[in-house]
Amino acid sequence: MISFLRMRLAGALATIFGASLISFILLRVLPGDPVRLIAGPLASEQALEGVRRQLGIDLPLPVQYARYIGGFVTGDWGFSFTAGGPVREVFASRIAATAELALFAFVIAFTAALILALLATYRRNRIIDGFVRVISTFGLGTPQFWLAMILLIVFFEQLNLFPGPSGRLDASTLAPPRVTGLLTVDSLLAGRWDAFSQAIEHLILPALSLGFVPFAFLVRLLRANLLEMSREPFIVVVRSKGIGYWATHTRHVLPNAFLPTLTASGLILAELLTGSVLVEKVFAWPGIGALVVDSILRQDYAVVQSFILLTAVLYVGVSFLVDMLYGVIDPRTRNPVSQRG
Amino acid sequence: MSAQTTIIKRTARPRITFEGVTAALRFILLDPTLLIAFLLMVLLVGLALLGPLLWGIDPLKLDFGAVFAAPSPQHPMGTDSLGRDIFARFYSGAQISLTVGVVAVVFGAVLGGAVGLIAGMSGGWVDVLLMRTMDAILAFPPLVLAMAITIGLGAGIETAAIAIIVTTIPWYARLVRSDVLRVRSMPFIEAAVAIGMARWPMIRRHVVPHIMPTLLIQAAASFGYAILALAALGFVGLGAQIPTPEWGAMITEGLSDALTGRWWVGVFPGVGILLAVTAANLFADRARDLLDIRAE
């Protein structure tokens, strides 16, 4: 177990190293002349030289890379000239909005997927199963930003059931005192029911747009796993002992079907991260995703660069964690010799 | 089992015959899932090819006399803020997306397949180096990496296509490598080595045919990904540039009009994306059911 852990950790670190090299080359070495961009088109040769030295672009590439990684690890992620502050502070002020949205999207997607997958496989309900298959097929082909637009057209413009693209609260509402940064939690802590219901209303459409693709993915996976598990011999044994169908389904089939789903959490995280970039902009959501899109348009690459490397670290970190969790939950996978699939 | 062997036999000597094509068509027509996927693709490809001939309106032509015209027989999908005909832009978008999809699939499959084949056949440090590189690419969510690549190379359709190709290479490489490792341990390879067959002819004759089903399935899935990714890159301004009628960029343009009652500007391009990607996914799913040797 320890050697397996050590090997996995070394692998994860090597991957992050490779990823950092890729992002260094793509965003530091390749894109044009950042000096011109910062100093402006009218800057003198002397001023350019100054900026170059300040940025460290005159140094050899390996030194630049070392400084880049050193800066990243110590929390110096550069300066965002569009937001007018250090990237790390800008991220810190926006992470709660993104986290709250992603969390909501995930909870909606997971709950819906679980219920629908159980109903679809329980006694092989044909109608629900057909519905699940159609919706998951379309779900995987839906561009999130387009879905966001459709939801706004239908539920805001036409039916006026939910607020439009106006951020996390109505403009006239005062935000509750910041404790966690999650408005739903903070407003409850402050006992502000008006802010709470507004925060929920503002969350629903963005969360639906962001959660739809993970939902489609999860429901498909759960359905397939549930079907596969329900055909296992031990299920027949449980049934022949006289345990009811529903109890067998939820108590014996479901926990086993969950394990492969856990492996997909990396993919779901990736989906939520990229999704936030595509969805937040549509809803004027003050999160990191919208910031990244604005930074791309204004060529403020310090932001984009940090986002990309952070994403890789988070993504690799989560799949490492999942591997470890897998060993804890299912002892059969602990010993690499008996590892299955 | 018999279906698999015939496929392997057929791919061993790829020759397109009339009988082969009609047999494939009959197979598609009798399979509901494949039929839907096939019809969707025929519709989109048909629009992309015949649109310019039959409709013939310039997708870039401005008409300030017909700004924001609602869908009507004259403009089946309406017009946008500059009076451009959205139907013309829709099929031009189909041309762009389908072309990028095909290019991405061909290059991705060839390059990724080659990486997987080389890694699997050579083993040792070549394998480690290649697969570590693939892991580093896989460390990013694909779209995030695609964004980084287009930033590095400069925004545009060509660089977006390159970015999409790069992000798909590891998928092929991993699958093909594991296929190669599986095939390599089979008795017929041992036999081929034993009778003194040279390395490359053996790979071409006995290994490559076995990785074709995997490549095909992944290619279909990647086609859908490519179209979706191109649209997403276009949406954030890293793909096609204004005024190119690319579906993702068209949705961005339509976004500002969506809440003022001009829904048609952004809705139709998204329908195009949805149909194209769904067709590709349906095809990939069905192909996986029919061809996947490991799914027993």
Side-chain angles (χ1 to χ4, degrees):
Chain A
M1 179 65 192
I2 297 295
S3 72
F4 171 61
L5 202 149
R6 206 177 290 153
M7 226 172 63
R8 263 313 263 110
L9 191 64
L13 286 178
T15 309
I16 289 179
F17 169 73
S20 72
L21 262 182
I22 292 178
S23 80
F24 172 71
I25 293 169
L26 285 176
L27 295 158
R28 273 279 167 109
V29 182
L30 285 182
D33 190 1
V35 179
R36 269 282 168 215
L37 215 64
I38 292 170
L42 297 176
S44 68
E45 194 50 47
Q46 231 168 351
L48 287 179
E49 196 54 49
V51 175
R52 218 167 269 147
R53 192 158 314 131
Q54 201 187 333
L55 289 175
I57 292 179
D58 52 340
L59 299 167
L61 283 181
V63 180
Q64 277 193 51
Y65 174 74
R67 283 171 55 144
Y68 165 67
I69 289 301
F72 185 79
V73 173
T74 53
D76 173 16
W77 297 350
F79 190 86
S80 160
F81 61 83
T82 54
V87 173
R88 202 164 61 112
E89 278 171 29
V90 180
F91 274 18
S93 69
R94 283 172 165 259
I95 184 97
T98 298
E100 188 170 36
L101 175 55
L103 202 67
F104 249 73
F106 177 74
V107 170
I108 292 177
F110 187 78
T111 322
L114 188 62
I115 293 173
L116 277 175
L118 274 174
L119 288 178
T121 52
Y122 175 62
R123 290 189 194 278
R124 307 291 312 262
N125 187 322
R126 286 256 173 119
I127 300 168
I128 298 179
D129 197 40
F131 172 73
V132 164
R133 286 172 63 179
V134 168
I135 202 168
S136 67
T137 307
F138 278 120
L140 293 174
T142 309
Q144 301 95 322
F145 47 96
W146 179 72
L147 178 67
M149 185 182 75
I150 300 274
L151 288 179
L152 275 176
I153 292 175
V154 174
F155 292 103
F156 166 61
E157 200 221 0
Q158 296 294 325
L159 302 175
N160 211 1
L161 282 175
F162 293 104
S166 52
R168 301 170 78 188
L169 289 173
D170 289 351
S172 55
T173 309
L174 211 64
R178 188 188 167 99
V179 185
T180 57
L182 309 179
L183 285 184
T184 44
V185 178
D186 284 357
S187 54
L188 278 185
L189 287 177
R192 291 265 311 278
W193 289 100
D194 60 321
F196 178 74
S197 65
Q198 254 185 42
I200 296 275
E201 275 173 12
H202 279 255
L203 265 168
I204 286 178
L205 293 185
L208 284 179
S209 331
L210 186 59
F212 191 53
V213 179
F215 157 75
F217 179 77
L218 272 172
V219 76
R220 220 172 126 95
L221 196 66
L222 273 172
R223 176 184 168 274
N225 290 341
L226 283 170
L227 282 181
E228 202 185 312
M229 259 314 140
S230 59
R231 282 195 285 261
E232 292 276 319
F234 78 90
I235 294 301
V236 181
V237 174
V238 171
R239 286 285 291 139
S240 61
K241 280 181 170 176
I243 312 285
Y245 195 90
W246 183 249
T248 313
H249 213 61
T250 48
R251 237 182 274 159
H252 296 277
V253 179
L254 190 61
N256 283 295
F258 254 129
L259 267 177
T261 317
L262 190 64
T263 346
S265 17
L267 279 173
I268 290 168
L269 178 80
E271 204 51 68
L272 291 173
L273 279 170
T274 34
S276 73
V277 174
L278 299 172
V279 166
E280 284 184 3
K281 183 79 183 139
V282 181
F283 290 96
W285 197 257
I288 290 179
L291 175 77
V292 168
V293 176
D294 286 335
S295 306
I296 289 173
L297 296 175
R298 293 176 197 160
Q299 302 190 311
D300 185 0
Y301 292 145
V303 172
V304 186
Q305 206 174 333
S306 309
F307 174 75
I308 285 168
L309 194 50
L310 270 181
T311 312
V313 171
L314 201 62
Y315 192 36
V316 174
V318 164
S319 35
F320 174 71
L321 253 173
V322 167
D323 274 11
M324 296 298 108
L325 264 181
Y326 220 88
V328 175
I329 298 173
D330 189 349
R332 284 172 300 184
T333 60
R334 256 180 236 168
N335 186 350
V337 179
S338 66
Q339 214 167 10
R340 310 191 317 168
Chain B
M1 192 59 215
S2 65
Q4 286 162 14
T5 38
T6 49
I7 284 153
I8 289 163
K9 259 188 217 152
R10 212 175 287 149
T11 48
R13 283 191 190 160
R15 200 183 299 155
I16 297 168
T17 58
F18 181 70
E19 287 78 23
V21 172
T22 47
L25 271 181
R26 198 174 312 129
F27 190 78
I28 289 172
L29 289 179
L30 291 176
D31 187 305
T33 314
L34 284 180
L35 183 64
I36 295 173
F38 181 70
L39 288 180
L40 284 176
M41 265 303 143
V42 167
L43 175 76
L44 289 171
V45 172
L47 275 177
L49 293 177
L50 300 179
L53 298 174
L54 298 180
W55 191 241
I57 289 183
D58 182 358
L60 299 180
K61 190 177 146 265
L62 312 182
D63 180 1
F64 292 107
V67 170
F68 287 131
S72 64
Q74 209 181 352
H75 298 288
M77 295 185 180
T79 61
D80 65 9
S81 60
L82 299 171
R84 295 175 294 197
D85 181 59
I86 292 177
F87 181 60
R89 293 176 69 72
F90 179 83
Y91 64 66
S92 308
Q95 291 167 0
I96 293 173
S97 285
L98 296 175
T99 311
V100 169
V102 170
V103 169
V105 161
V106 169
F107 279 88
V110 169
L111 294 174
V115 170
L117 194 62
I118 293 170
M121 285 310 290
S122 35
W125 65 269
V126 177
D127 184 24
V128 171
L129 189 73
L130 283 175
M131 293 328 281
R132 275 284 160 231
T133 313
M134 296 298 113
D135 282 349
I137 297 178
L138 288 172
F140 301 93
L143 254 177
V144 172
L145 180 63
M147 286 177 193
I149 294 173
T150 35
I151 291 172
L153 301 176
I157 289 187
E158 292 83 3
T159 49
I162 294 174
I164 292 167
I165 292 168
V166 171
T167 51
T168 60
I169 285 177
W171 303 340
Y172 294 103
R174 277 195 152 185
L175 290 169
V176 165
R177 176 176 169 272
S178 74
D179 259 9
V180 168
L181 290 181
R182 185 176 51 81
V183 172
R184 225 174 63 157
S185 63
M186 286 189 174
F188 62 83
I189 296 291
E190 210 178 321
V193 176
I195 61 170
M197 204 170 179
R199 197 173 166 79
W200 281 109
M202 184 189 77
I203 291 176
R204 209 165 48 94
R205 192 80 182 79
H206 295 298
V207 180
V208 170
H210 286 271
I211 62 177
M212 289 319 266
T214 308
L215 269 187
L216 186 73
I217 295 166
Q218 186 54 48
S222 303
F223 185 78
Y225 160 77
I227 288 173
L228 213 48
L230 182 74
L233 289 172
F235 178 74
V236 295
L238 286 170
Q241 300 298 305
I242 291 169
T244 317
E246 191 275 323
W247 284 339
M250 286 167 74
I251 295 179
T252 313
E253 285 173 50
L255 206 54
S256 47
D257 309 315
L259 299 182
T260 50
R262 288 96 176 223
W263 54 270
W264 55 86
V265 182
V267 168
F268 287 116
V271 174
I273 301 171
L274 182 62
L275 294 184
V277 181
T278 302
N281 285 347
L282 282 175
F283 186 78
D285 283 350
R286 198 67 191 118
R288 193 171 290 133
D289 291 347
L290 293 172
L291 296 175
D292 204 346
I293 297 159
R294 282 159 302 180
E296 270 152 22

